[in-house]
Each structure stands twice: as structure tokens, then as C-alpha cells.
Amino acid sequence: MVIGDGVLTPAISVFSAVSGLELSMSKEHHQYAVIPITCFILVCLFALQHYGTHRVGFFFAPIVLTWLLCISSLGIYNIIYWNPHVYQALSPYYMFKFLKKTRKGGWMSLGGILLCITGSEAMFADLGHFSYSAIQTAFTFLVYPALILAYMGQAAYLSQHHHTSYQISFYVSVPESVRWPVLIIAILASVVGSQAIISGTFSIINQSQSLSCFPRVKVIHTSDKIHGQIYIPEINWVLMILCIAVTIGFRDTKHMGNASGLAVMTVMLVTTCLTSLVIILCWHKPPIVALFFLLFFGSIELLYFSASLTKFTEGAWLPILLALFLMTIMFVWHYATIKKYEFDLHNKVSLEWLLALGPSLGIARVPGIGLVFTDLTSGIPANFSRFVTNLPAFHRVLVFVCVKSVPVPFVPPAERYLVGRVGPAAHRSYRCIVRYGYRDVHQDVDSFESELVSKLADFIHYDWHRSQHSSHSEEDVSHSNESTSECRLAVIGTVAFSGTPAYEIEESVQLASVSIGLSTVESVTDIIEMEPVHAVERRVRFAIDDDSESDMRTNMELQLREELQDLLAAQEAGTAFILGHSHVRAKQGSSVFKRLAINFGYNFLRRNCRGPDVALKVPPVSLLEVGMVYVV
């Protein structure tokens, strides 16, 4: 519904602002002028989006401030000039009296009254750009008083001119001498208000994409300093086409207002329901508090929502249609993504299979680093077995990379990489889980590759240091000799290394990380943890003299240096990115809806959205794609 509001708000805002021309030209000219002017302004608005809000944002505050001062000044003028007693309308008594007198007609009019707030809620879409306190302060001390004065002024004017032949609108209450300046300010303010909801639409689609609930689209971060400002080209042009279609199709503010009112009211009602869950699950308040909150606000919003539904045939059908269309796309994409992951999970190969690959089977190890991208956080993906079957060779250094988006806004860089071994150290195989928050900026391939190699080097230091300090422990000796299991993943970045042949670790090891409170996936909660590397085992199996201990340390340092040299040589030889090129097919016996959703819907979306190689910014010269057929 918010994405649908991103279609309706620019259309109704610009159209209602331009409609002020009806008082300055004849009806014939007005009929053929408002639609083209509105469409032209909308095209300009969406064409400027790729420059980013930060390039033109310094105009926004003066325009909005001028507009708020303008409508509040007009409100004060109309109150004083036409009806100074209109302040009594602030009393809730008249609200109850109105509903009691008009009954069903008053209830149905609530859908139109809702339009009084459909513009003011757009500023909350700017939460990605400003802090909570800034918006709360601006709304309480500036926006709300200006809106109240503006509506009171219009009410004062209409109390003396309710028999006017003109259609009731904002511009009727504007004195003729200042009508043109107010018209220009109104158009500029409508553009700024539209910008807020467009930015909010981009943010929601970006976050949905990060949580695998929306097809992959290109996301451009337009500002290096302000994190929330993004631009999505495909969504921008789709919104522009839909806005122009709504403007041309409806041609009046009544139908647009009905559609926008239902969209906004649905957003508020759903938000209230979700907030009641937040009160219980996040704020840990008693359920009775959430129930009172839901009953109080939900009953008011349900009253407005039911009134908006009565205008279904008069424009309110549009946001429902848009919401159903978007929900279908998101559901199909998310469902197929989950089924693909389950297929990978059930068809992964064992670690013993990987360790058995060698010259005896005709498998060669070639120079370089092979980055195998997979959604699995453990085990060997099926696409790698397909790769080795068709091309009996793989790289000297093998890294299974899993990029995960976790449901938190940001993941600190020090907690982003989880690294572990796959098999013994001599196999030179590693696993790396890279975690991004849904508002994190993904790195380009060059910086990602360099940082990944750096984290692998840090992990090698850490692992050999841990082996050196735990070699006397019976438990750790058996663990270090076990070559058929994966090591636990360590959060690389929360420890620092100093001293190059000693590879000491700082005493302040940060054990608190997003891994403790939030697992990447449920199946790996037992392996994603930071081991306290400074702990010393007290249980000693046997004693070793100084010479033996010195020889062991020298041997470990030689093996450490050899592993680091292999990593450096592999990086210089080049990096290959191994990705799966998937085709999903519904299994036999599936229902008609599932076959339509998977065979046609998902595959159509997959073919027409950005591929994983583009999303990960993989250079074509380094890309190796492995064809996979998923039967789900």
C-alpha cells in the first residue's frame, strides 16, 4: 500500500496544485491545460530523481517553510476577516454533533475528511534522511499548527460562502491579489511532498529486496554522506508511467483522493496492528497494554477505513489492485527463493566428497582463488559438484562465499565476516559468510575481493595462534586432527593481531556481536560464534620439554608462512567467481497455481530482473556460471 501511495501521492499532489488555474482561465482552456501541465511536471519530477535528493535538497526546506507560512498566514487572514469565532470548531463536541446529525452521510464523508492528513503523513517517509526528534519537533511546532490554521481559515471562508457557484477548493479562499504566487508555491510544495513519498518507495523496495521479498533491481546510492538516499531506475520509470496513467485516467481530484485515502488508511491500520506486536515482542510490555493501544487507535482507523471502502467503485479500487499485484510478485519471488534454498540444503554434498577429490581421480588444482557463491552456510553446494563433474579442476585456494542479508539496518564492518576452514589446513579451502544489513551499502567487486583476502589472512593468523595455544589440550588436539569436519566460524574483525612472527591477539576480545543475538539462519546457530582466543586450557594431557615446544612452534610458523604465501600467490594469479545459473521448475503433480507461479511467474521475473553476477558486480571476464535445474 505504501508503494501504491508512491503512485497516487505525486499524481494527486501535483494535479490539485495545478487545478488552481481554473479560477484564472475559462473552463474550456482549463480543461485542456491542467492535464498536460500536470503530466509535464511529473515527467520532470521523475527525470530529476537520478541526480539524488542531496543535489536539490537544499531547496526543499525553504520551499516547505514558505508553503507552511503561506497557508498559515492565509488561514489567519480568513479567520480574522470572515469568521473570528471559528476557533470553537476545535472542540470535539461539534464532531459528535456532526456525526449524530448526519448519521450515515457523516460516516461516508469520513473518507473525504481523511484527505486532510494524506499529505502530512508523507514527511514521515523522510525518516531515512532525518532523525526521529527532528521530524517530531518540526511536525509538532510547525506543520501541525500551520495545517490547523489553514483548515480553520478555509472553514471561516466557507461559513460565509457555502452557496458559491465555484467548486469548493483551497484556491477559492485565497485572495485574488496573491493567487498566482500561492499557485507557484503550491506547485513547488507538491513536488517536494511527492519527492518524500518517492524516496520512501525506493527505501521500502530496497529493504524488501535485501530480505529476498522482491526481485533484484539496480540500487544507486546517490549520496556518499547521507546513507538513506537511493535511486532505483526501473522503479522510478514504472512509477512515472503509473502516475501519468492515473492522472490521465481519473482526471479529477475526487477519484484520486478516494484512491489515496484508502491507501493511506490501510497503511495506518496495518501499522497500528504491527505496532501492537512491537509493544509485546520488542518493548516487552504486558499484552493488556497492546490490546488497549489496538482498540483505541484501531477502532478510530477502522471507522475511517470502512468509510473509504464505500468509495471502492469511485477510485478506491486502484490501491487494492496495485497492492494485490505487488503482493503476488513478492509472494512468488519469496516462495521460490525459499524453495531453492531448501533444494540446495537437501542436495548438498558431503565434506568427505570434497576431500576425496585429487590427482587419483583426475582432478587438478589450478593457480588462483575460486570464490563459489552459495546460499548455504554449511556443506558443499550442488552447483560446485556439477562444476567439478564437467570441468575436473578447481582452484588452489577455494572459498565458499555466502552473502546474507540479516534483518537489522546495519552490520558493523568488524562483525561482517565470519570465516572458517573447510577440511584440514593443507586443503586450502575456507568458508566465508558475509553479512549485510538491509540498509548497508554493498561493496564493489575490487574492494570486496581485497577485503575478503585480508580477512582470510587474519583468520589464518587467528587459527594458527589458537592451535599454538591449545596444542596441549586433549580436546583441542583431537579437534585439530579431525579433518572431516568444518571448524567453527570466527568473527574476523573483532580481534586484532600484532607482531609478525608471534601473531599475538589483543586482550580486549569483543565477544558481543550480532551473531549472539541474531543468527544468520536457524540451522547454523551452533557454529556462528566467536571463540575466546585468550583463554588457556588448564587440563594438560602430557608435558613437553622446551626443545620440543620450540620445534613445534617453529613448525607451526613455517606452516603459517607457507599458507599465507599460497594465499598471496593465488591472489596474484587471479580470482574466479563461480555462480549458479538456475532454472526453477515445479515438480510433477504440483497444483495449477504452483505451476503457474513457478514455471511462468518466477522464471519470468528471474529472466527480467538483475542477475546475481550483476547484483554482486562480478566482472564478466572472471565469471564462471554453472547451470542448475531446481525442481521444487
Side-chain angles (χ1 to χ4, degrees), residues 287-325:
I288 190 67
V289 176
L291 181 61
F292 279 124
F293 173 85
L294 184 61
L295 289 177
F296 179 75
F297 289 100
S299 59
I300 298 174
E301 292 166 352
L302 198 60
L303 186 67
Y304 280 90
F305 178 74
S306 60
S308 298
L309 281 178
T310 61
K311 308 293 176 58
F312 181 83
T313 59
E314 300 177 18
W317 56 269
L318 181 60
I320 296 179
L321 182 63
L322 287 173
L324 289 175
F325 179 72

mmCIF file of all heavy atoms in Angstrom, residues 287-325:
data_model
loop_
_atom_site.group_PDB
_atom_site.id
_atom_site.type_symbol
_atom_site.label_atom_id
_atom_site.label_comp_id
_atom_site.label_asym_id
_atom_site.label_seq_id
_atom_site.Cartn_x
_atom_site.Cartn_y
_atom_site.Cartn_z
ATOM 1 N N PRO A 287 0.587 -7.707 27.588
ATOM 2 C CA PRO A 287 -0.346 -7.776 26.443
ATOM 3 C C PRO A 287 -1.551 -6.862 26.589
ATOM 4 O O PRO A 287 -2.099 -6.417 25.585
ATOM 5 C CB PRO A 287 -0.762 -9.251 26.432
ATOM 6 C CG PRO A 287 0.361 -9.977 27.111
ATOM 7 C CD PRO A 287 0.887 -9.032 28.142
ATOM 8 N N ILE A 288 -1.952 -6.562 27.824
ATOM 9 C CA ILE A 288 -3.115 -5.697 28.013
ATOM 10 C C ILE A 288 -2.848 -4.296 27.489
ATOM 11 O O ILE A 288 -3.748 -3.609 26.964
ATOM 12 C CB ILE A 288 -3.511 -5.665 29.520
ATOM 13 C CG1 ILE A 288 -4.852 -4.991 29.711
ATOM 14 C CG2 ILE A 288 -2.417 -5.007 30.350
ATOM 15 C CD1 ILE A 288 -6.006 -5.743 29.134
ATOM 16 N N VAL A 289 -1.585 -3.835 27.572
ATOM 17 C CA VAL A 289 -1.218 -2.518 27.043
ATOM 18 C C VAL A 289 -1.364 -2.501 25.525
ATOM 19 O O VAL A 289 -1.918 -1.561 24.935
ATOM 20 C CB VAL A 289 0.228 -2.154 27.456
ATOM 21 C CG1 VAL A 289 0.656 -0.821 26.832
ATOM 22 C CG2 VAL A 289 0.357 -2.091 28.967
ATOM 23 N N ALA A 290 -0.876 -3.564 24.878
ATOM 24 C CA ALA A 290 -1.009 -3.667 23.421
ATOM 25 C C ALA A 290 -2.476 -3.752 23.013
ATOM 26 O O ALA A 290 -2.886 -3.182 21.993
ATOM 27 C CB ALA A 290 -0.238 -4.879 22.911
ATOM 28 N N LEU A 291 -3.282 -4.443 23.812
ATOM 29 C CA LEU A 291 -4.707 -4.572 23.490
ATOM 30 C C LEU A 291 -5.413 -3.222 23.568
ATOM 31 O O LEU A 291 -6.199 -2.870 22.679
ATOM 32 C CB LEU A 291 -5.360 -5.574 24.438
ATOM 33 C CG LEU A 291 -6.850 -5.840 24.204
ATOM 34 C CD1 LEU A 291 -7.064 -6.428 22.807
ATOM 35 C CD2 LEU A 291 -7.403 -6.764 25.278
ATOM 36 N N PHE A 292 -5.143 -2.446 24.628
ATOM 37 C CA PHE A 292 -5.736 -1.115 24.750
ATOM 38 C C PHE A 292 -5.285 -0.203 23.610
ATOM 39 O O PHE A 292 -6.077 0.573 23.068
ATOM 40 C CB PHE A 292 -5.386 -0.487 26.106
ATOM 41 C CG PHE A 292 -6.253 -0.952 27.233
ATOM 42 C CD1 PHE A 292 -5.697 -1.513 28.369
ATOM 43 C CD2 PHE A 292 -7.643 -0.851 27.152
ATOM 44 C CE1 PHE A 292 -6.500 -1.962 29.403
ATOM 45 C CE2 PHE A 292 -8.450 -1.284 28.187
ATOM 46 C CZ PHE A 292 -7.880 -1.854 29.317
ATOM 47 N N PHE A 293 -4.005 -0.285 23.259
ATOM 48 C CA PHE A 293 -3.493 0.508 22.138
ATOM 49 C C PHE A 293 -4.218 0.145 20.849
ATOM 50 O O PHE A 293 -4.644 1.023 20.087
ATOM 51 C CB PHE A 293 -1.986 0.269 21.993
ATOM 52 C CG PHE A 293 -1.375 0.897 20.765
ATOM 53 C CD1 PHE A 293 -0.962 2.219 20.779
ATOM 54 C CD2 PHE A 293 -1.221 0.166 19.590
ATOM 55 C CE1 PHE A 293 -0.403 2.800 19.651
ATOM 56 C CE2 PHE A 293 -0.666 0.735 18.463
ATOM 57 C CZ PHE A 293 -0.255 2.060 18.501
ATOM 58 N N LEU A 294 -4.372 -1.150 20.600
ATOM 59 C CA LEU A 294 -5.014 -1.616 19.372
ATOM 60 C C LEU A 294 -6.488 -1.214 19.333
ATOM 61 O O LEU A 294 -6.996 -0.777 18.289
ATOM 62 C CB LEU A 294 -4.872 -3.128 19.265
ATOM 63 C CG LEU A 294 -5.412 -3.789 17.996
ATOM 64 C CD1 LEU A 294 -4.690 -3.255 16.766
ATOM 65 C CD2 LEU A 294 -5.276 -5.299 18.079
ATOM 66 N N LEU A 295 -7.180 -1.340 20.475
ATOM 67 C CA LEU A 295 -8.602 -0.999 20.495
ATOM 68 C C LEU A 295 -8.821 0.497 20.324
ATOM 69 O O LEU A 295 -9.743 0.920 19.614
ATOM 70 C CB LEU A 295 -9.224 -1.477 21.817
ATOM 71 C CG LEU A 295 -9.368 -2.992 21.979
ATOM 72 C CD1 LEU A 295 -9.922 -3.331 23.356
ATOM 73 C CD2 LEU A 295 -10.252 -3.569 20.892
ATOM 74 N N PHE A 296 -7.977 1.313 20.943
ATOM 75 C CA PHE A 296 -8.180 2.761 20.884
ATOM 76 C C PHE A 296 -7.902 3.296 19.484
ATOM 77 O O PHE A 296 -8.764 3.888 18.839
ATOM 78 C CB PHE A 296 -7.289 3.458 21.912
ATOM 79 C CG PHE A 296 -7.429 4.961 21.901
ATOM 80 C CD1 PHE A 296 -8.542 5.571 22.450
ATOM 81 C CD2 PHE A 296 -6.451 5.765 21.336
ATOM 82 C CE1 PHE A 296 -8.685 6.953 22.434
ATOM 83 C CE2 PHE A 296 -6.576 7.142 21.314
ATOM 84 C CZ PHE A 296 -7.701 7.726 21.870
ATOM 85 N N PHE A 297 -6.680 3.072 18.999
ATOM 86 C CA PHE A 297 -6.322 3.613 17.686
ATOM 87 C C PHE A 297 -6.957 2.795 16.558
ATOM 88 O O PHE A 297 -7.368 3.352 15.536
ATOM 89 C CB PHE A 297 -4.807 3.647 17.519
ATOM 90 C CG PHE A 297 -4.129 4.689 18.355
ATOM 91 C CD1 PHE A 297 -3.506 4.344 19.549
ATOM 92 C CD2 PHE A 297 -4.121 6.017 17.974
ATOM 93 C CE1 PHE A 297 -2.887 5.294 20.326
ATOM 94 C CE2 PHE A 297 -3.511 6.984 18.754
ATOM 95 C CZ PHE A 297 -2.889 6.621 19.937
ATOM 96 N N GLY A 298 -7.029 1.472 16.742
ATOM 97 C CA GLY A 298 -7.584 0.639 15.689
ATOM 98 C C GLY A 298 -9.048 0.907 15.419
ATOM 99 O O GLY A 298 -9.491 0.872 14.268
ATOM 100 N N SER A 299 -9.830 1.200 16.476
ATOM 101 C CA SER A 299 -11.259 1.482 16.270
ATOM 102 C C SER A 299 -11.463 2.768 15.481
ATOM 103 O O SER A 299 -12.325 2.836 14.591
ATOM 104 C CB SER A 299 -11.964 1.568 17.626
ATOM 105 O OG SER A 299 -11.388 2.590 18.431
ATOM 106 N N ILE A 300 -10.652 3.788 15.769
ATOM 107 C CA ILE A 300 -10.757 5.048 15.022
ATOM 108 C C ILE A 300 -10.374 4.830 13.558
ATOM 109 O O ILE A 300 -11.080 5.259 12.636
ATOM 110 C CB ILE A 300 -9.858 6.124 15.665
ATOM 111 C CG1 ILE A 300 -10.316 6.425 17.094
ATOM 112 C CG2 ILE A 300 -9.862 7.406 14.828
ATOM 113 C CD1 ILE A 300 -9.395 7.356 17.849
ATOM 114 N N GLU A 301 -9.259 4.124 13.341
ATOM 115 C CA GLU A 301 -8.801 3.907 11.974
ATOM 116 C C GLU A 301 -9.735 2.973 11.217
ATOM 117 O O GLU A 301 -9.932 3.128 10.001
ATOM 118 C CB GLU A 301 -7.375 3.347 12.002
ATOM 119 C CG GLU A 301 -6.360 4.371 12.504
ATOM 120 C CD GLU A 301 -5.028 3.741 12.842
ATOM 121 O OE1 GLU A 301 -4.936 2.505 12.825
ATOM 122 O OE2 GLU A 301 -4.079 4.487 13.134
ATOM 123 N N LEU A 302 -10.333 2.012 11.922
ATOM 124 C CA LEU A 302 -11.281 1.107 11.270
ATOM 125 C C LEU A 302 -12.522 1.856 10.800
ATOM 126 O O LEU A 302 -13.096 1.530 9.750
ATOM 127 C CB LEU A 302 -11.668 -0.016 12.226
ATOM 128 C CG LEU A 302 -12.295 -1.265 11.604
ATOM 129 C CD1 LEU A 302 -11.333 -1.899 10.598
ATOM 130 C CD2 LEU A 302 -12.663 -2.263 12.690
ATOM 131 N N LEU A 303 -12.902 2.886 11.555
ATOM 132 C CA LEU A 303 -14.043 3.708 11.159
ATOM 133 C C LEU A 303 -13.752 4.441 9.851
ATOM 134 O O LEU A 303 -14.569 4.445 8.925
ATOM 135 C CB LEU A 303 -14.371 4.700 12.284
ATOM 136 C CG LEU A 303 -15.629 5.542 12.115
ATOM 137 C CD1 LEU A 303 -16.867 4.656 12.167
ATOM 138 C CD2 LEU A 303 -15.705 6.611 13.209
ATOM 139 N N TYR A 304 -12.575 5.040 9.765
ATOM 140 C CA TYR A 304 -12.173 5.728 8.536
ATOM 141 C C TYR A 304 -11.974 4.735 7.394
ATOM 142 O O TYR A 304 -12.314 5.014 6.241
ATOM 143 C CB TYR A 304 -10.885 6.512 8.764
ATOM 144 C CG TYR A 304 -11.089 7.839 9.463
ATOM 145 C CD1 TYR A 304 -11.040 7.938 10.842
ATOM 146 C CD2 TYR A 304 -11.323 8.998 8.740
ATOM 147 C CE1 TYR A 304 -11.222 9.148 11.481
ATOM 148 C CE2 TYR A 304 -11.501 10.211 9.362
ATOM 149 C CZ TYR A 304 -11.454 10.282 10.738
ATOM 150 O OH TYR A 304 -11.639 11.486 11.361
ATOM 151 N N PHE A 305 -11.392 3.572 7.698
ATOM 152 C CA PHE A 305 -11.131 2.565 6.664
ATOM 153 C C PHE A 305 -12.437 2.071 6.050
ATOM 154 O O PHE A 305 -12.553 1.924 4.830
ATOM 155 C CB PHE A 305 -10.351 1.399 7.278
ATOM 156 C CG PHE A 305 -10.059 0.283 6.319
ATOM 157 C CD1 PHE A 305 -9.098 0.424 5.339
ATOM 158 C CD2 PHE A 305 -10.762 -0.911 6.399
ATOM 159 C CE1 PHE A 305 -8.831 -0.602 4.443
ATOM 160 C CE2 PHE A 305 -10.505 -1.944 5.513
ATOM 161 C CZ PHE A 305 -9.534 -1.795 4.537
ATOM 162 N N SER A 306 -13.435 1.803 6.899
ATOM 163 C CA SER A 306 -14.724 1.337 6.383
ATOM 164 C C SER A 306 -15.388 2.405 5.523
ATOM 165 O O SER A 306 -16.021 2.092 4.505
ATOM 166 C CB SER A 306 -15.637 0.942 7.541
ATOM 167 O OG SER A 306 -15.871 2.053 8.403
ATOM 168 N N ALA A 307 -15.232 3.686 5.915
ATOM 169 C CA ALA A 307 -15.788 4.769 5.102
ATOM 170 C C ALA A 307 -15.080 4.861 3.752
ATOM 171 O O ALA A 307 -15.701 5.136 2.722
ATOM 172 C CB ALA A 307 -15.685 6.092 5.848
ATOM 173 N N SER A 308 -13.776 4.613 3.733
ATOM 174 C CA SER A 308 -13.028 4.654 2.468
ATOM 175 C C SER A 308 -13.438 3.521 1.543
ATOM 176 O O SER A 308 -13.451 3.678 0.322
ATOM 177 C CB SER A 308 -11.520 4.581 2.744
ATOM 178 O OG SER A 308 -11.086 5.683 3.515
ATOM 179 N N LEU A 309 -13.772 2.356 2.114
ATOM 180 C CA LEU A 309 -14.164 1.217 1.288
ATOM 181 C C LEU A 309 -15.464 1.464 0.538
ATOM 182 O O LEU A 309 -15.709 0.847 -0.503
ATOM 183 C CB LEU A 309 -14.303 -0.039 2.153
ATOM 184 C CG LEU A 309 -13.003 -0.759 2.536
ATOM 185 C CD1 LEU A 309 -13.307 -1.956 3.428
ATOM 186 C CD2 LEU A 309 -12.229 -1.200 1.296
ATOM 187 N N THR A 310 -16.303 2.357 1.078
ATOM 188 C CA THR A 310 -17.568 2.647 0.385
ATOM 189 C C THR A 310 -17.332 3.345 -0.951
ATOM 190 O O THR A 310 -18.225 3.375 -1.805
ATOM 191 C CB THR A 310 -18.477 3.518 1.261
ATOM 192 O OG1 THR A 310 -17.821 4.775 1.537
ATOM 193 C CG2 THR A 310 -18.794 2.823 2.574
ATOM 194 N N LYS A 311 -16.138 3.905 -1.138
ATOM 195 C CA LYS A 311 -15.805 4.584 -2.397
ATOM 196 C C LYS A 311 -15.039 3.655 -3.336
ATOM 197 O O LYS A 311 -14.265 4.120 -4.170
ATOM 198 C CB LYS A 311 -14.957 5.833 -2.094
ATOM 199 C CG LYS A 311 -15.565 6.765 -1.068
ATOM 200 C CD LYS A 311 -16.834 7.405 -1.581
ATOM 201 C CE LYS A 311 -17.496 8.258 -0.519
ATOM 202 N NZ LYS A 311 -16.663 9.324 -0.005
ATOM 203 N N PHE A 312 -15.256 2.347 -3.176
ATOM 204 C CA PHE A 312 -14.498 1.366 -3.965
ATOM 205 C C PHE A 312 -14.654 1.598 -5.465
ATOM 206 O O PHE A 312 -13.676 1.589 -6.214
ATOM 207 C CB PHE A 312 -14.950 -0.049 -3.595
ATOM 208 C CG PHE A 312 -14.219 -1.127 -4.336
ATOM 209 C CD1 PHE A 312 -12.982 -1.572 -3.898
ATOM 210 C CD2 PHE A 312 -14.757 -1.700 -5.487
ATOM 211 C CE1 PHE A 312 -12.299 -2.561 -4.586
ATOM 212 C CE2 PHE A 312 -14.083 -2.691 -6.183
ATOM 213 C CZ PHE A 312 -12.850 -3.115 -5.722
ATOM 214 N N THR A 313 -15.873 1.822 -5.902
ATOM 215 C CA THR A 313 -16.119 1.992 -7.337
ATOM 216 C C THR A 313 -15.770 3.384 -7.833
ATOM 217 O O THR A 313 -15.802 3.642 -9.033
ATOM 218 C CB THR A 313 -17.586 1.693 -7.661
ATOM 219 O OG1 THR A 313 -18.427 2.577 -6.897
ATOM 220 C CG2 THR A 313 -17.933 0.252 -7.315
ATOM 221 N N GLU A 314 -15.437 4.290 -6.923
ATOM 222 C CA GLU A 314 -15.136 5.672 -7.298
ATOM 223 C C GLU A 314 -13.647 5.976 -7.162
ATOM 224 O O GLU A 314 -13.264 7.075 -6.788
ATOM 225 C CB GLU A 314 -15.952 6.642 -6.447
ATOM 226 C CG GLU A 314 -17.461 6.452 -6.593
ATOM 227 C CD GLU A 314 -18.239 7.387 -5.668
ATOM 228 O OE1 GLU A 314 -17.644 8.376 -5.201
ATOM 229 O OE2 GLU A 314 -19.420 7.124 -5.433
ATOM 230 N N GLY A 315 -12.812 4.986 -7.440
ATOM 231 C CA GLY A 315 -11.366 5.200 -7.436
ATOM 232 C C GLY A 315 -10.620 4.405 -6.392
ATOM 233 O O GLY A 315 -9.415 4.176 -6.535
ATOM 234 N N ALA A 316 -11.315 3.974 -5.320
ATOM 235 C CA ALA A 316 -10.615 3.267 -4.253
ATOM 236 C C ALA A 316 -10.166 1.869 -4.666
ATOM 237 O O ALA A 316 -9.381 1.233 -3.953
ATOM 238 C CB ALA A 316 -11.510 3.185 -3.011
ATOM 239 N N TRP A 317 -10.642 1.386 -5.819
ATOM 240 C CA TRP A 317 -10.222 0.066 -6.293
ATOM 241 C C TRP A 317 -8.764 0.039 -6.728
ATOM 242 O O TRP A 317 -8.115 -1.020 -6.718
ATOM 243 C CB TRP A 317 -11.093 -0.373 -7.480
ATOM 244 C CG TRP A 317 -11.088 0.616 -8.612
ATOM 245 C CD1 TRP A 317 -11.951 1.640 -8.803
ATOM 246 C CD2 TRP A 317 -10.145 0.682 -9.699
ATOM 247 N NE1 TRP A 317 -11.634 2.343 -9.936
ATOM 248 C CE2 TRP A 317 -10.524 1.768 -10.511
ATOM 249 C CE3 TRP A 317 -9.043 -0.086 -10.061
ATOM 250 C CZ2 TRP A 317 -9.824 2.114 -11.656
ATOM 251 C CZ3 TRP A 317 -8.338 0.253 -11.203
ATOM 252 C CH2 TRP A 317 -8.733 1.340 -11.984
ATOM 253 N N LEU A 318 -8.213 1.196 -7.095
ATOM 254 C CA LEU A 318 -6.864 1.225 -7.658
ATOM 255 C C LEU A 318 -5.789 0.784 -6.659
ATOM 256 O O LEU A 318 -4.962 -0.082 -6.995
ATOM 257 C CB LEU A 318 -6.556 2.613 -8.212
ATOM 258 C CG LEU A 318 -5.175 2.777 -8.852
ATOM 259 C CD1 LEU A 318 -5.012 1.822 -10.030
ATOM 260 C CD2 LEU A 318 -4.946 4.208 -9.303
ATOM 261 N N PRO A 319 -5.740 1.354 -5.424
ATOM 262 C CA PRO A 319 -4.682 0.889 -4.499
ATOM 263 C C PRO A 319 -4.830 -0.579 -4.129
ATOM 264 O O PRO A 319 -3.818 -1.257 -3.905
ATOM 265 C CB PRO A 319 -4.853 1.803 -3.278
ATOM 266 C CG PRO A 319 -6.243 2.311 -3.352
ATOM 267 C CD PRO A 319 -6.542 2.432 -4.814
ATOM 268 N N ILE A 320 -6.075 -1.092 -4.080
ATOM 269 C CA ILE A 320 -6.260 -2.514 -3.782
ATOM 270 C C ILE A 320 -5.702 -3.361 -4.918
ATOM 271 O O ILE A 320 -5.023 -4.374 -4.691
ATOM 272 C CB ILE A 320 -7.755 -2.812 -3.548
ATOM 273 C CG1 ILE A 320 -8.261 -2.063 -2.311
ATOM 274 C CG2 ILE A 320 -7.987 -4.312 -3.390
ATOM 275 C CD1 ILE A 320 -9.725 -2.266 -2.021
ATOM 276 N N LEU A 321 -5.944 -2.946 -6.152
ATOM 277 C CA LEU A 321 -5.413 -3.672 -7.301
ATOM 278 C C LEU A 321 -3.887 -3.640 -7.316
ATOM 279 O O LEU A 321 -3.227 -4.670 -7.549
ATOM 280 C CB LEU A 321 -5.975 -3.062 -8.591
ATOM 281 C CG LEU A 321 -5.553 -3.730 -9.901
ATOM 282 C CD1 LEU A 321 -6.064 -5.165 -9.952
ATOM 283 C CD2 LEU A 321 -6.050 -2.936 -11.099
ATOM 284 N N LEU A 322 -3.303 -2.460 -7.062
ATOM 285 C CA LEU A 322 -1.844 -2.352 -7.024
ATOM 286 C C LEU A 322 -1.256 -3.206 -5.911
ATOM 287 O O LEU A 322 -0.233 -3.876 -6.099
ATOM 288 C CB LEU A 322 -1.438 -0.883 -6.830
ATOM 289 C CG LEU A 322 -1.619 0.057 -8.022
ATOM 290 C CD1 LEU A 322 -1.325 1.497 -7.612
ATOM 291 C CD2 LEU A 322 -0.724 -0.357 -9.177
ATOM 292 N N ALA A 323 -1.904 -3.188 -4.737
ATOM 293 C CA ALA A 323 -1.392 -3.957 -3.606
ATOM 294 C C ALA A 323 -1.442 -5.459 -3.894
ATOM 295 O O ALA A 323 -0.493 -6.195 -3.585
ATOM 296 C CB ALA A 323 -2.188 -3.633 -2.344
ATOM 297 N N LEU A 324 -2.546 -5.924 -4.494
ATOM 298 C CA LEU A 324 -2.647 -7.348 -4.834
ATOM 299 C C LEU A 324 -1.592 -7.748 -5.867
ATOM 300 O O LEU A 324 -0.982 -8.825 -5.767
ATOM 301 C CB LEU A 324 -4.048 -7.658 -5.367
ATOM 302 C CG LEU A 324 -5.186 -7.627 -4.340
ATOM 303 C CD1 LEU A 324 -6.525 -7.839 -5.021
ATOM 304 C CD2 LEU A 324 -4.966 -8.692 -3.271
ATOM 305 N N PHE A 325 -1.354 -6.887 -6.849
ATOM 306 C CA PHE A 325 -0.342 -7.171 -7.867
ATOM 307 C C PHE A 325 1.048 -7.263 -7.247
ATOM 308 O O PHE A 325 1.818 -8.201 -7.510
ATOM 309 C CB PHE A 325 -0.385 -6.090 -8.940
ATOM 310 C CG PHE A 325 0.629 -6.259 -10.029
ATOM 311 C CD1 PHE A 325 0.497 -7.261 -10.977
ATOM 312 C CD2 PHE A 325 1.725 -5.421 -10.104
ATOM 313 C CE1 PHE A 325 1.447 -7.432 -11.983
ATOM 314 C CE2 PHE A 325 2.682 -5.576 -11.094
ATOM 315 C CZ PHE A 325 2.536 -6.583 -12.038
#
